[in-house]
Structure formats: structure tokens, C-alpha cells
Amino acid sequence: MTGEPVLLSSDADGVRTLTLNRPRVKNAIDAALWSALREALVAAGNDRAVRTVVITGAGGAFCSGADISGGVSSVHPLYRMRTLSDVALLLHELPVPTIAKVTGVAVGAGWNLALGCDLVVATPESRFSQIFARRGLSLDLGGSWLLPRLVGLQQAKRLALLAETIDAEEARSMNLVTWVVSAQEVDAFVDDLGARLVAGPPVALAQNKALLNEGADRTMRDALANEARTQAVNFATADVAEAYSAFSEKRVPGFTGRWAVTHGQDEKGDSHA
């Protein structure tokens, strides 16, 4: 429908759902949708009420990749790629957990958009392809970084060089999908998953995500130093004390991420000028 937004955004109990909304072209991403995604990810990262982000597609498809229906653009590719790179980095560095809910096809940049999320939930009908080579193109939206880390170098080359289409079960067996859930159950499954993530300690989850993302490129010494640094930040929040109290009281903890260090006090509680 003319004038309908290319990206829908909705909030429910700490979960922000971003829905690619170009169903007539299986949610292929054009310039307007790339820009909308970039703005939406910036907004989600800056909104402390957002504790989890779900990315999905309208009309029974996740995303058929970048929209090439208009042919070769007159805009230099380097300029166009900047927006794609912005989206990939914003998604990768978003300080909250992200879930891709994949129904139907996830192809090319659309598949890499899903792989850029922390968790991927697909249905048995989902189909995936690194289709770039069939278009005379190479991997983008972080695919060259993500694929070898998820499946190993040899399988990454298979996917990139042959541009095969694989189904959800094969994708799951290759660690490219976290869960495969029936189409009738996928909405409820993702809702429950989002609620579980929202209930977690936000500071600790953000740091877990960053540690794991960065760990692939770090030495053990670097990783241990980062773990020590982030654990110190965790102990400065109210969530650790809340977790200990909840454990002793046999109740569910209520995590907020609230900073709990009192300014101007040392370990004994003495105030300083």
C-alpha cells in the first residue's frame, strides 16, 4: 500500500519488534529501508526501556536481500555500502540481546541480517542462501566475518562460492539457526524467549554479548582481562545483590541494571570530601 512504512516498530514489555514491511518483494531492502533500519537500531540502543530486540519480516518472508529491482544505481557503491556497514555494526554492537524470527526466505544480505542477531529462530519452511555469487557480487553485511566464525572456513566457502539454498534443519545443523519451531508456534516461542531475556540482568547480558563477540579476535590473556573488567562493572550494579537475595529467599530476582555504588564512599562507608 502506497505510503505504508517500510519498517514497523512495536514495543511490548521491554521487547522492541522491528518488522521489515515490504511483503510484495519478500521484504527486499531498498535505500529507504536501509535508512530506517539504521535509525531504528540507533533508537533501540539509546532507549533504556528496550531490553531485547526482535527482527522479523512481514507477509511470510524474512528478507530476500538487497532490492536490485531498479538495476544498477548511479550512486557510487562505496557510498551505498556505508549504510549497510552502519546497520551491520549497530546490530552487532547493540547492547541488548537480539533475536531474528525467520519465516520464509532469508537470502543474501537478508540472511546476514539474521546471522547478525544473537539468536535465530526459524520455521521448517525457512530457506537460506548466500546468493551473492549468483548476482556477480561478494558477501556483505558482515557475512565474511560471521560465516567462518559460525561454521568454519571450509563450510563458509561452500556457502559463499556455490550460493546454495539450504533448509532450516541443515542451517540448524551448521549452527546458523538456534531453534527450528513450527509456524504455528513460532510467535509464542519468540514471545517467551524475549520475556526470558528481558527478565535477565541487562548490564551483565550486554557485557556477555560484547565479550563473546570480541573473544574470537582476542588472546586468552586479553579475554581474561576483559572478563575481570566487566565483572567489576557487574558488581557495581544492584543486580548482583538482588540475585544473592533472591537465591537466599527462594524467589525470582528482579533485575534493573541500576548502578549501586554510592558516590564518595570507600569500602568502610566513610565519606570523603
Side-chain angles (χ1 to χ4, degrees), residues 244-261:
Y244 289 6
S245 296
F247 177 78
S248 65
E249 296 166 11
K250 295 182 172 56
R251 60 176 175 81
V252 176
F255 293 122
T256 62
R258 182 173 57 83
W259 189 249
V261 173

Side-chain angles (χ1 to χ4, degrees), residues 107 111 128-135 137 139 156-166:
V107 171
W111 190 7
F128 305 87
S129 177
Q130 294 288 331
I131 201 170
F132 300 97
R134 292 193 224 167
R135 305 287 185 254
L137 298 169
L139 303 172
K157 289 179 177 178
R158 167 202 161 188
L159 293 169
L161 300 180
L162 297 177
E164 298 172 325
T165 298
I166 64 174

Side-chain angles (χ1 to χ4, degrees), residues 13-15 44-45 47-53 93-98 118 194-211 230-231 233-243 253-260:
D13 300 322
V15 177
D47 189 340
R48 292 181 62 188
V50 175
R51 300 273 289 265
T52 297
V53 169
E93 296 176 353
L94 201 66
V96 298
T98 54
D118 302 314
R196 290 162 59 193
L197 291 169
V198 167
V203 173
L205 294 190
Q207 295 192 107
N208 279 340
K209 174 176 175 174
L211 285 168
T230 57
Q231 208 69 295
V233 173
N234 292 328
F235 276 104
T237 70
D239 287 344
V240 175
E242 167 65 7
F255 293 122
T256 62
R258 182 173 57 83
W259 189 249

Side-chain angles (χ1 to χ4, degrees), residues 4-8 18-30 33-34 37 55-68 101-107 109-111 113:
E4 194 169 351
V6 294
L7 183 69
L8 305 177
L18 303 177
T19 303
L20 312 182
N21 190 38
R22 303 186 73 220
R24 293 182 181 179
V25 289
K26 296 184 179 179
N27 303 313
I29 309 179
D30 62 1
L33 183 47
W34 282 122
L37 267 172
I55 299 180
T56 191
F62 182 75
C63 177
S64 58
D67 191 344
I68 60 172
K101 180 167 68 175
V102 179
T103 59
V105 298
V107 171
W111 190 7
L113 181 66

Side-chain angles (χ1 to χ4, degrees), residues 83-195:
T83 305
L84 275 71
S85 297
D86 287 347
V87 168
L89 278 175
L90 285 164
L91 181 60
H92 183 69
E93 296 176 353
L94 201 66
V96 298
T98 54
I99 305 167
K101 180 167 68 175
V102 179
T103 59
V105 298
V107 171
W111 190 7
N112 291 337
L113 181 66
L115 293 179
C117 293
D118 302 314
L119 302 167
V120 180
V121 183
T123 64
E125 297 78 19
S126 302
R127 295 294 181 268
F128 305 87
S129 177
Q130 294 288 331
I131 201 170
F132 300 97
R134 292 193 224 167
R135 305 287 185 254
L137 298 169
S138 53
L139 303 172
D140 62 24
L141 210 70
S144 64
W145 190 90
L146 291 162
L147 284 171
R149 285 161 175 78
L150 292 168
V151 302
L153 184 58
Q154 193 170 70
Q155 289 293 345
K157 289 179 177 178
R158 167 202 161 188
L159 293 169
L161 300 180
L162 297 177
E164 298 172 325
T165 298
I166 64 174
D167 63 21
E169 282 299 339
E170 184 170 8
R172 186 180 63 81
S173 72
M174 296 173 72
N175 297 322
L176 296 167
V177 164
T178 322
W179 296 278
V180 178
V181 181
S182 73
Q184 293 75 27
E185 298 174 337
V186 68
D187 289 343
F189 184 92
V190 171
D191 288 347
D192 177 70
L193 180 59

